Amino acid sequence: MKYPHLRFQSQLAWLFAVIILANTRLASGQTPNFGTLKLSSGMKPMEQKVSGVTGGIYSLSIIRGRDKNKNVCIGFAESNPDYILVLEENFNNLTILVNSSDKDTDTTLLIKGPDKETVRCGDDTGRSKDASVSDKEWTKGTYQIWVGISERGLKRNYTLTVEQL
C-alpha cells in the first residue's frame, strides 16, 4: 500500500466516532443511578434532599459544551443521570445545589430537560467549590440531573437539594 498511514488515520477517526456515538447514546438513557424526584408547588417543605456519590469517567461536556445561558458544562460523572426530576407544574424559580461537605471537592452540575435541547450547567457557588444552578422559567416535565466532579474517576459523597425560591 502506497500510504498506509492514511488507512490507520481513517480507522482511528472511525473508532473515535463510534466512542462518541456510544457515549451520546448512554447519556440519553432514562435510567437514573439513584432515583426520581417529584416536585409540585403544593409540597411541604418546598425542597427535596437526596444523597448520592459523584464521580466517573464520562465527560459531561459531551452532552453539551455550553448551556442555554452560555455557562461552560464541565466535570466527570457516570453516563446515566444521577437523578430524574419530574416537575408536575411550571416553576418560576428553582435552585438545585450540591453539598459535598468537603471544601476541597469541586463538584459540577448538568441538568437536561424537559426537552432534548435545554441544558443548564453549574460549577462553583460563591466561595464554595460545590455546584449549583439557580434559574427562572422551569417548564413542567422531566429533567435529567448529573452531579459531576472536576477530576476524572474521583468519587465523593454529596447531598443534592432541589428547592423553590
Side-chain angles (χ1 to χ4, degrees):
M1 176 178 245
K2 190 172 183 180
Y3 301 103
H5 66 285
L6 292 179
R7 181 172 177 222
F8 175 74
Q9 287 176 344
S10 174
Q11 290 172 340
L12 193 57
W14 179 82
L15 178 62
F16 283 129
V18 168
I19 290 170
I20 289 171
L21 180 60
N23 281 338
T24 302
R25 285 187 180 198
L26 286 173
S28 66
Q30 288 288 322
T31 305
N33 293 325
F34 299 109
T36 300
L37 302 163
K38 291 186 179 182
L39 195 62
S40 65
S41 64
M43 295 178 71
K44 301 289 182 200
M46 290 306 299
E47 70 176 27
Q48 292 208 8
K49 289 187 178 188
V50 291
S51 298
V53 178
T54 188
I57 61 169
Y58 180 76
S59 176
L60 294 176
S61 63
I62 290 174
I63 297 171
R64 188 69 43 85
R66 290 192 178 266
D67 71 2
K68 72 181 199 100
N69 298 316
K70 308 295 185 231
N71 296 314
V72 177
C73 300
I74 59 173
F76 296 94
E78 297 295 329
S79 57
N80 282 353
D82 293 308
Y83 293 94
I84 299 295
L85 171 65
V86 178
L87 298 181
E88 296 181 335
E89 57 193 80
N90 295 338
F91 284 85
N92 291 330
N93 294 294
L94 280 182
T95 297
I96 300 173
L97 53 102
V98 179
N99 181 354
S100 66
S101 299
D102 180 353
K103 65 179 181 163
D104 296 324
T105 298
D106 191 1
T107 58
T108 65
L109 272 171
L110 188 143
I111 304 160
K112 183 178 179 182
D115 56 55
K116 293 182 180 185
E117 298 304 315
T118 304
V119 172
R120 293 171 168 97
C121 293
D123 192 8
D124 301 342
T125 303
R127 291 182 173 179
S128 173
K129 289 185 177 183
D130 280 326
S132 70
V133 170
S134 187
D135 203 2
K136 299 177 180 180
E137 299 178 10
W138 294 78
T139 306
K140 174 182 177 179
T142 302
Y143 294 78
Q144 298 170 309
I145 301 175
W146 283 265
V147 179
I149 196 160
S150 61
E151 190 176 329
R152 180 184 293 245
L154 187 63
K155 300 279 188 188
R156 290 290 186 266
N157 294 327
Y158 67 84
T159 300
L160 181 77
T161 304
V162 179
E163 60 186 9
Q164 181 181 7
L165 300 177

